[in-house]
Amino acid sequence: MNQLLLTGFEPFGGSTINPAAEVVKRFETGGVQAFSLHTLILPVDTMRAPKILEAALLDLRPDWCVMLGEARGRPAISVERVAINVLDFQIPDNAGQQIVDEPVVPDGPAAYFCTLPVRHICEAIREAGVPAELSLSAGTYLCNQVIYVALHTAATHKLPTRCGFLHLPALPEQVARDPRRLPSMTLDLLFCGVEAA
């Protein structure tokens, strides 16, 4: 049976909830058909998250690694295509670190392309009735960092793992009182989209 590592993030930036973690929790109770599922909720900590993810990849050597993160302001599930070798935080992480213009991996490649079939995934999400888009920017915060670390770990250790990342819109309760009227998506829809992916 194929091994699947599914990851999300803890809340950050003053929020008490993270849609990525909530989706992962739903999968923990129901699993994923035809996969042996392993899950991780990563800390929003630039020092700890990469080490935890790398250790899980080297220990499990999964066939697939699907990582989830929150992208508040995006109106659709974003299927990321690329991770870049730069950290440039607009806000501190949960440990108070705010890194500016540093590499994810010193002397690492400038970028990695995700190794999941991103276009097919995007279409599968849309066919399930959930808005989805291909994205060429995962930002320069921890989401980009963990994508890069996963792809770099798979490449340098010659793992069989195919890696990719889905950015999820905020939940309605996260933006209900925000005067900017940001887009949101219900947890049911997010779960449906990730399940289709």
Side-chain angles (χ1 to χ4, degrees), residues 177-189:
R177 297 183 184 276
D178 194 313
R180 294 172 293 172
R181 298 181 181 172
L182 297 173
S184 65
M185 195 175 287
T186 66
L187 182 56
D188 286 343
L189 265 183

Side-chain angles (χ1 to χ4, degrees), residues 44-167:
V44 179
D45 182 324
T46 190
M47 302 303 293
R48 292 174 54 221
K51 293 174 183 174
I52 293 168
L53 178 59
E54 181 180 26
L57 288 168
L58 293 175
D59 180 48
L60 297 170
R61 302 179 69 87
D63 301 284
W64 309 92
C65 177
V66 178
M67 296 160 281
L68 309 177
E70 176 188 334
R72 195 172 302 187
R74 294 195 190 185
I77 294 178
S78 297
V79 183
E80 300 298 345
R81 300 187 81 165
V82 64
I84 59 173
N85 193 12
V86 65
L87 302 171
D88 190 18
F89 296 177
Q90 299 300 308
I91 61 171
D93 69 9
N94 285 353
Q97 297 288 317
Q98 188 163 3
I99 298 175
V100 177
D101 292 337
E102 290 185 17
V104 177
V105 176
D107 301 318
Y112 283 105
F113 283 103
C114 292
T115 50
L116 293 182
V118 293
R119 192 169 296 278
H120 293 313
I121 286 172
C122 193
E123 287 304 317
I125 297 170
R126 289 173 180 161
E127 286 174 14
V130 181
E133 62 188 2
L134 289 174
S135 170
L136 288 171
S137 177
T140 54
Y141 197 51
L142 271 87
C143 292
N144 175 75
Q145 182 181 20
V146 299
I147 307 168
Y148 189 96
V149 166
L151 291 162
H152 186 71
T153 301
T156 56
H157 292 274
K158 296 182 170 41
L159 301 181
T161 311
R162 296 180 75 178
C163 304
F165 194 98
L166 304 177
H167 257 130

